[in-house]
Amino acid sequence: MKTDKFSIWRFLKEYGLITVGILVYVLGWNVFLVPNNLVGGGVTGIASIVQYATKGLIKIGVTYFVLNIGLILLALYTLGKGFGGKTIYAIILSSIGLSALQGVIPEDIVKTLAVDNGKLMSTIMGGLLVGVGIGMSMSQGGSTGGTDIIALVVNKYRNVSPGRMILATDSLIILSSLLVPSYTPSGELMPFTEKITTVVYGFILITIISFVLDAYLSGSRQSVQLFILSSRYAEIADFITKEMHRGVTVLDGKGWYTKSSTEVLMVLTRKTDLNIMLKSIKRIDPNAFLSVSSVTGVYGRGFETLKYKQKDK
């Protein structure tokens, strides 16, 4: 029963954070970027170019969903069914939000927050929201699709940060916007000189997104090391392995003051799971002695993968 409750809690937590991340991502586009005809990278960038070129007849969400079908299949094949399921959920939610929320958010709010503050401020604010949104989704094993999937596929086999990979591919997409006509929300054709400026804002945008994304992921993937001293060490070890699915190492120790032997549990876990683990340990044994320290890198099953290129003999 405890295992079922913990699994349900983990499921709700992961999909809840993905949902919030997608909402932040969608708001970044619909509030700050689209009203200013700004172009970003990835599938969303391509979809925005299509919307501007068709005078809004083809919404971002439609193109976004269609282009991501092939990338979803790539994610299912390369990254596993669990990733694919979360990605499909995130993409469907993003597709709906990118199209539906454009007519829902009041125009006066968009004008006050984005249009009146100029394209530079909108680029900064939109980039922050989009970067955080993508980071929240990716940290839970999902993705907003597009170059996020490509970045995670490459990151699985090569030690290349997702932010850098996305930055490289998105640059090509932004430059391609110069070749396609762009119409403002009022229906006016954007002059070519203004499109060049938009490209510059686009590069600023993807730089902000890549920086925020890497910063968010590095923070969410931080690991901690716990040393636990308790007379009920067996019960605590069983909970950590069965409920939280983390490994436990039992060390033989001796208290120098009491001159009595004791068992010490050593555990490595994600920082995001630390509070749940501490509360559970204290519930099992309120008198447990705990030591928590941050670690710079943990490689192995359940953590990061140490990537290397095998040389041909």
Side-chain angles (χ1 to χ4, degrees):
M1 182 64 67
K2 288 183 179 180
T3 302
D4 293 338
K5 289 182 178 179
F6 188 80
S7 299
I8 293 173
W9 162 249
R10 182 180 290 274
F11 176 86
L12 294 175
K13 172 193 168 187
E14 290 176 351
Y15 277 85
L17 288 175
I18 291 175
T19 302
V20 174
I22 295 303
L23 178 61
V24 173
Y25 174 80
V26 167
L27 288 176
W29 272 99
N30 286 340
V31 175
F32 293 99
L33 303 180
V34 173
N36 286 286
N37 270 64
L38 293 170
V39 178
V43 171
T44 317
I46 298 174
S48 66
I49 295 174
V50 172
Q51 175 170 316
Y52 303 151
T54 59
K55 298 183 179 181
L57 295 178
I58 303 178
K59 296 294 185 182
I60 291 181
V62 177
T63 308
Y64 174 89
F65 182 76
V66 172
L67 293 178
N68 269 302
I69 292 178
L71 292 172
I72 290 174
L73 296 177
L74 175 65
L76 287 170
Y77 177 77
T78 307
L79 301 172
K81 295 181 180 179
F83 177 91
K86 294 175 183 177
T87 299
I88 292 173
Y89 172 76
I91 288 175
I92 292 175
L93 199 62
S94 299
S95 301
I96 296 173
L98 287 169
S99 295
L101 289 184
Q102 286 191 40
V104 174
I105 302 174
E107 293 184 3
D108 55 339
I109 294 179
V110 175
K111 185 175 184 299
T112 302
L113 293 178
V115 179
D116 291 347
N117 286 325
K119 290 189 175 182
L120 179 59
M121 184 58 67
S122 295
T123 299
I124 296 173
M125 294 302 298
L128 290 173
L129 291 177
V130 171
V132 170
I134 295 175
M136 292 182 70
S137 181
M138 291 178 70
S139 68
Q140 301 305 312
S143 169
T144 54
T147 50
D148 304 349
I149 296 177
I150 298 175
L152 287 178
V153 170
V154 174
N155 183 252
K156 181 178 180 180
Y157 300 103
R158 293 289 184 272
N159 193 18
V160 180
S161 72
R164 289 185 180 181
M165 189 64 197
I166 291 174
L167 182 63
T169 54
D170 289 355
S171 298
L172 297 176
I173 296 173
I174 291 175
L175 288 172
S176 68
S177 66
L178 292 172
L179 306 176
V180 182
S182 181
Y183 294 89
T184 63
S186 60
E188 299 178 357
L189 180 64
M190 181 181 293
F192 186 77
T193 53
E194 190 173 345
K195 290 179 66 177
I196 295 176
T197 306
T198 302
V199 167
V200 175
Y201 285 126
F203 282 118
I204 296 174
L205 175 64
I206 62 174
T207 302
I208 294 173
I209 292 174
S210 65
F211 176 81
V212 173
L213 174 59
D214 280 347
Y216 187 96
L217 290 180
S218 62
S220 64
R221 289 177 177 174
Q222 285 183 352
S223 299
V224 292
Q225 180 176 264
L226 285 80
F227 285 103
I228 307 166
L229 286 83
S230 170
S231 58
R232 302 177 66 180
Y233 69 91
E235 189 176 348
I236 294 174
D238 287 339
F239 170 82
I240 294 174
T241 54
K242 295 178 181 179
E243 305 292 336
M244 302 205 68
H245 306 289
R246 288 297 182 190
V248 179
T249 301
V250 182
L251 306 175
D252 292 326
K254 183 176 183 179
W256 193 247
Y257 180 77
T258 59
K259 300 298 189 296
S260 60
S261 298
T262 183
E263 307 296 333
V264 181
L265 304 182
M266 185 184 75
V267 182
L268 290 168
T269 188
R270 295 289 190 190
K271 193 174 183 179
T272 52
D273 294 330
L274 178 61
N275 287 335
I276 298 176
M277 185 174 291
L278 292 178
K279 290 179 180 178
S280 301
I281 293 171
K282 282 298 183 180
R283 186 174 63 250
I284 296 172
D285 183 7
N287 298 318
F289 183 84
L290 300 168
S291 172
V292 181
S293 59
S294 298
V295 291
T296 56
V298 181
Y299 300 96
R301 186 176 179 181
F303 294 92
E304 306 303 317
T305 301
L306 191 61
K307 304 174 183 64
Y308 67 95
K309 185 177 181 180
Q310 189 173 7
K311 295 181 179 180
D312 297 331
K313 295 182 179 179

